[in-house]
Amino acid sequence: MINKSKKASLLLAATILGTTAGSFLVAPSAHAAIESNVVKNDINWDMPSAPAAPSDVNARAGSEQVVLTWAPVDNAKSYDVRRYNVVNNTYDSVKANETTVLTTGVTDAVYMDTSVTNGQIYGYVVNAVYGDGQVSQMSMPVIATPMELSGNVKDSIVLQYKSGTTAGTNSSVIQPTFNIMNTSGTPVNLSDIRVRYYFNGGKELTAKNFSAGNISFGSRNIEPNFVSLEKTYKQADSYLELLFNAEAGIIRAGDETGPMTFTIQKNQSGTSQDNDYSYNNSSELIEWNKVAVYYQGDLVWGTEPDLNN
């Protein structure tokens, strides 16, 4: 489940110019125009000696909810999430805005804010907290506007990925972990979803080369399908396609499958995962667009390899 920390204090903080006692959180200065869902990077930090802020922060809106994700920070013990109301489409932190401390103690790089109203624009910043109590700078702010959604969820499916193995020339084992998120306001049937992981060394593999673990709805409800490409390409000669049967159930609105770990045992070693299109050496769940997700036959997340190269 997405972390909705029970430690959420919903404290109304002082203005964004204020700091938390003992922290290094400092307000950005001046105004910043909004571009897409990220505020333009023209903010100068008053205390650059503080640890760097979390990066790759994204905000995705659903109906009466906003899902925040960011890149995990090395050695961070937890994260704090703050929210502010966007005024006149600017980040007017000097005078106008006050932040609300939504939650502290978030241990995963994902948080769902359900204390929002459809039609209102919200801005968010995230900071990391280390084991010694040191607090990082605040992230670049992102914005989102929750809205009542229709049944079209094709723009609302997100895949997170991490690897349980490291790249190596003698590797014969691939062990990806996927987490599929539904950020829409509509339940999604898992049987409508297919996931494709592209790699080398997959020709002639069968279901006997596949195993699954840590599946909340049961590994028996997942069917692996190895597909050999007609010709060998630089980054892939095959892909693993994961299909889900009806008994796998649904991903509820604003929910996720939870981490699903799979193991591919290749018939031979000698190929480095560094050359595999879908591989990333991240040991933490990250949003990864080189694993493709299809919904009702349409590609809705990620990109396929360029099979012309």
Side-chain angles (χ1 to χ4, degrees), residues 48-240:
S49 61
S55 61
D56 297 327
V57 182
N58 285 285
R60 290 182 171 84
S63 179
E64 299 183 344
Q65 64 187 21
V66 175
V67 177
L68 298 170
T69 60
W70 55 90
V73 176
D74 290 342
N75 301 318
K77 180 181 179 181
S78 63
Y79 305 92
D80 300 336
V81 179
R82 287 169 167 76
R83 187 180 78 192
Y84 65 93
N85 291 331
V86 175
V87 179
N88 296 326
N89 285 342
T90 64
Y91 189 40
D92 191 359
S93 60
V94 177
K95 297 180 180 179
N97 288 324
E98 295 184 354
T99 59
T100 299
V101 180
L102 285 178
T103 188
T104 61
V106 177
T107 56
D108 296 320
V110 58
Y111 178 76
M112 179 190 291
D113 180 13
T114 57
S115 60
V116 294
T117 301
N118 285 344
Q120 172 70 48
I121 304 174
Y122 296 94
Y124 297 88
V125 288
V126 180
N127 66 271
V129 181
Y130 295 86
D132 60 0
Q134 192 176 28
V135 180
S136 76
Q137 298 180 24
M138 289 184 289
S139 70
M140 292 303 301
V142 293
I143 66 166
T145 306
M147 298 291 290
E148 188 69 34
L149 300 180
S150 67
N152 185 359
V153 300
K154 293 183 177 181
D155 296 327
S156 304
I157 293 175
V158 177
L159 182 134
Q160 294 180 314
Y161 160 91
K162 70 176 181 178
S163 177
T165 56
T166 57
T169 57
N170 296 316
S171 175
S172 62
V173 176
I174 299 173
Q175 195 172 61
T177 293
F178 304 137
N179 179 40
I180 303 173
M181 305 169 65
N182 171 20
T183 65
S184 76
T186 303
V188 172
N189 291 315
L190 272 165
S191 59
D192 287 330
I193 289 177
R194 297 188 178 198
V195 178
R196 289 183 182 178
Y197 183 93
Y198 289 84
F199 66 102
N200 281 305
K203 291 184 178 295
E204 299 181 358
L205 298 186
T206 69
K208 294 181 179 179
N209 298 87
F210 172 88
S211 61
N214 192 33
I215 311 297
S216 62
F217 48 85
S219 59
R220 67 185 182 279
N221 296 315
I222 298 177
E223 177 187 342
N225 183 26
F226 289 101
V227 178
S228 296
L229 300 173
E230 291 184 1
K231 59 178 290 188
T232 299
Y233 298 91
K234 182 177 180 180
Q235 293 185 295
D237 63 20
S238 310
Y239 62 83
L240 167 66

Side-chain angles (χ1 to χ4, degrees), residues 4-58:
K4 302 179 189 177
S5 174
K6 295 182 180 178
K7 297 181 180 179
S9 57
L10 295 179
L11 298 175
L12 288 176
T15 66
I16 200 165
L17 286 172
T19 61
T20 303
S23 79
F24 293 100
L25 287 172
V26 181
S29 60
H31 293 49
I34 293 168
E35 294 182 352
S36 183
N37 82 324
V38 179
V39 176
K40 186 177 179 181
N41 187 3
D42 62 0
I43 296 177
N44 296 317
W45 295 102
D46 295 330
M47 294 187 67
S49 61
S55 61
D56 297 327
V57 182
N58 285 285

